[in-house]
């Protein structure tokens, strides 16, 4: 293969399309490729441009929600609802919604307000539907 054909083939590979888009060189002629999201500049040139002109970053990099992000309020240490003992990561959350230490984790130790009996009855009724036989014709 001659060198002219090699250069043509090499040139086709360099300027080939990627995912349907043609590659564009940076408009500042720095040798890197730019994109439409960065005004046809490479990332380095776009960062310099945005610093000098106080331009916001492109919407591709901005958070998707338009609402301001609120920081969560700092919560105190996790404590048992009955004895106020610090439980940290070893706390037990009951079905009544409270956090308890290992001593008060059982429902009879902390005066639990959750109705276990009706919850169990509902679970059994849901798991075992009533089966009625089809009526038979009497002879």
């Amino acid at each position: 293969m001659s060198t002219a054909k090699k250069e043509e083939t090499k040139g086709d590979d360099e300027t080939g399309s990627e995912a349907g888009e043609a590659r564009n060189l940076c408009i500042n002629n720095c040798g890197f490729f730019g994109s439409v999201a960065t005004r046809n500049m490479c990332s380095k040139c776009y960062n310099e441009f945005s610093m000098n002109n106080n331009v916001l970053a492109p919407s591709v990099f901005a958070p998707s929600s338009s609402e301001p992000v609120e920081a969560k309020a700092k919560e105190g240490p996790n404590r048992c609802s009955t004895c106020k003992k610090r439980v940290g990561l070893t706390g037990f959350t009951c079905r009544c919604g409270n956090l308890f230490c290992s001593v008060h984790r059982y429902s009879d130790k902390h005066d639990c307000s959750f109705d276990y009996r009706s919850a169990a009855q509902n679970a059994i009724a849901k798991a075992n539907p009533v089966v009625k036989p089809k009526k038979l014709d009497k002879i």
Side-chain angles (χ1 to χ4, degrees):
M1 222 176 175
S2 69
T3 56
K5 288 184 180 178
K6 286 182 182 178
E7 288 178 9
E8 286 179 17
T9 308
K10 186 177 178 183
D12 290 340
D13 291 341
E14 287 178 4
T15 58
S17 63
E18 181 174 312
E21 293 183 21
R23 292 185 184 181
N24 298 325
L25 286 175
C26 177
I27 59 173
N28 291 340
N29 295 326
C30 64
F32 293 104
F33 292 105
S35 69
V36 176
T38 57
R39 298 183 181 184
N40 294 325
M41 291 185 239
C42 66
S43 60
K44 182 180 175 187
C45 294
Y46 184 78
N47 287 338
E48 290 174 2
F49 172 77
S50 62
M51 290 294 200
N52 293 337
N53 296 333
N54 294 328
V55 176
L56 295 175
S59 61
V60 186
F61 302 112
S64 60
S65 65
S66 61
E67 300 174 6
V69 178
E70 296 179 16
K72 289 185 177 180
K74 187 174 181 183
E75 296 179 5
N78 296 336
R79 294 187 179 270
C80 174
S81 296
T82 304
C83 65
K84 306 298 182 210
K85 178 181 170 184
R86 292 181 78 174
V87 293
L89 298 174
T90 60
F92 296 91
T93 304
C94 182
R95 288 186 180 179
C96 63
N98 295 325
L99 185 70
F100 298 101
C101 64
S102 60
V103 175
H104 298 107
R105 68 180 172 171
Y106 299 111
S107 61
D108 59 335
K109 299 291 183 184
H110 68 265
D111 299 325
C112 188
S113 61
F114 186 77
D115 190 9
Y116 286 94
R117 183 176 178 160
S118 64
Q121 286 176 348
N122 292 339
I124 290 171
K126 187 176 181 180
N128 300 317
V130 178
V131 178
K132 293 182 181 179
K134 294 181 180 178
K135 291 195 173 195
L136 296 174
D137 295 331
K138 292 191 177 188
I139 301 177

